[in-house]
Amino acid sequence: MAALFCGAALFPGLFFSFRRILRNTWTDWSDADVTAVSERLLSAVHASLATAAGVTVVSSCRDVMTDSHWLVNSFVLFGAPYMLFDIYAMYLNHRHTQEGSQTPSRRSLHAFRAFLLRDWMLVLHHLVLVFIFLPITLFFRRGLGDFFIGCLFLTELSTPFISVGKILIQLHLDDTKLYRINGLVALLTFFTCRILLFPFMYWMYGRHASVPLHRVAFHLPLHCNLGNLLLLAPQVYWFGLLLRKAQRLYRRTRKSD
């Protein structure tokens, strides 16, 4: 439980510290600007820690089913407060962005409803990780599959690059070479660690069980396949959004040239 309390103290503390530092550094920024960058910095910190945990676990497990690592359960507990707090941080960012001439109570209610309508998939993804993925990891795996949990940690590898891209936009650096390179790295890491990762995990299990890759899905219990599909589906959707954004940037760059 110490990991849970550490996460509950660290992530809100970092967020509010980022806000204070940014507000004092960029005095011309609005609350929306400060909150947006703080939320992205917090996301990058969590993602970097998750990636480091994933690399440690995956590189330590030789047997993909039976080898265990203490970091798996500890990091799941440590990261759970981030998932819940990040929902609040995203809402706060949305509320500051949408503030208008309404009364505060009506404005907050409207912003919350608009936030859920706009980011329902991301909110649902966070809630699924906390209320479904966490109990399964801690209580229902019977100590098996730490390797695959480590692989799921690695899905966060692309997040720091996505966060850096949004911060560069905030700094009006979205016409720079750095922004384009960062965007390309974000696309490659997202595709590798959030899309290709799933067939890789099936292939690794197939090697363990001596099952051909095309037969692995039929060899696994239905709930395992459904769980992987539930995690993969939003990644495919978000990757499509990234591709459309990259296409618009490419067209804009060609016109400027």
Side-chain angles (χ1 to χ4, degrees):
M1 294 300 289
L4 181 66
F5 290 121
C6 285
L10 176 67
F11 294 114
L14 280 177
F15 177 75
F16 292 115
S17 296
F18 288 147
R19 287 185 69 189
R20 174 169 292 187
I21 293 170
L22 291 172
R23 188 176 287 114
N24 293 333
T25 304
W26 279 276
T27 55
D28 58 328
W29 279 12
S30 66
D31 285 340
D33 297 331
V34 169
T35 304
V37 174
S38 298
E39 195 269 328
R40 297 320 306 177
L41 287 172
L42 183 68
S43 180
V45 170
H46 169 265
S48 300
L49 293 174
T51 301
V55 170
T56 302
V57 172
V58 168
S59 61
S60 300
C61 295
R62 295 186 178 276
D63 189 298
V64 299
M65 288 302 297
T66 60
D67 283 359
S68 61
H69 197 287
W70 65 269
L71 196 53
V72 168
N73 288 357
S74 294
F75 192 82
V76 167
L77 284 170
F78 175 73
Y82 163 78
M83 293 298 171
L84 296 176
F85 183 80
D86 192 48
I87 295 175
Y88 168 74
M90 289 188 296
Y91 161 69
L92 195 62
N93 177 28
H94 178 83
R95 193 186 74 187
H96 283 310
T97 303
Q98 298 299 319
E99 279 180 346
S101 58
Q102 302 102 328
T103 61
S105 59
R106 183 168 297 182
R107 185 170 62 226
S108 296
L109 180 62
H110 175 76
F112 183 70
R113 184 165 55 244
F115 164 67
L116 290 180
L117 289 174
R118 190 192 70 174
D119 292 327
W120 68 269
M121 185 176 289
L122 193 55
V123 172
L124 180 62
H125 179 258
H126 279 37
L127 293 177
V128 165
L129 290 178
V130 173
F131 295 108
I132 296 180
F133 178 73
L134 185 147
I136 290 174
T137 301
L138 296 181
F139 306 115
F140 300 111
R141 291 187 303 121
R142 304 189 308 276
L144 299 174
D146 280 23
F147 173 85
F148 298 108
I149 304 298
C151 286
L152 293 178
F153 290 162
L154 291 176
T155 59
E156 293 290 345
L157 177 62
S158 62
T159 302
F161 301 104
I162 294 172
S163 295
V164 167
K166 293 184 177 181
I167 292 172
L168 289 174
I169 292 174
Q170 192 71 39
L171 296 172
H172 305 293
L173 297 174
D174 48 324
D175 283 329
T176 63
K177 188 175 182 180
L178 174 62
Y179 179 78
R180 292 191 287 271
I181 293 174
N182 181 78
L184 179 61
V185 175
L187 270 177
L188 292 175
T189 53
F190 195 103
F191 181 69
T192 302
C193 293
R194 293 193 180 227
I195 307 294
L196 290 183
L197 179 72
F198 287 88
F200 169 74
M201 290 193 295
Y202 274 62
W203 177 68
M204 289 298 292
Y205 178 82
R207 286 185 57 191
H208 168 81
S210 299
V211 177
L213 177 60
H214 67 279
R215 298 292 305 170
V216 171
F218 302 100
H219 194 266
L220 291 171
L222 177 61
H223 64 270
C224 291
N225 290 313
L226 289 177
N228 284 323
L229 184 60
L230 183 65
L231 292 174
L232 177 61
Q235 314 304 330
V236 174
Y237 172 76
W238 290 323
F239 184 66
L241 295 180
L242 287 176
L243 282 178
R244 286 198 288 271
K245 183 177 179 181
Q247 187 179 39
R248 290 195 300 269
L249 177 63
Y250 174 73
R251 289 174 178 172
R252 189 178 71 188
T253 303
R254 288 196 63 183
K255 287 181 180 178
S256 64
D257 292 340

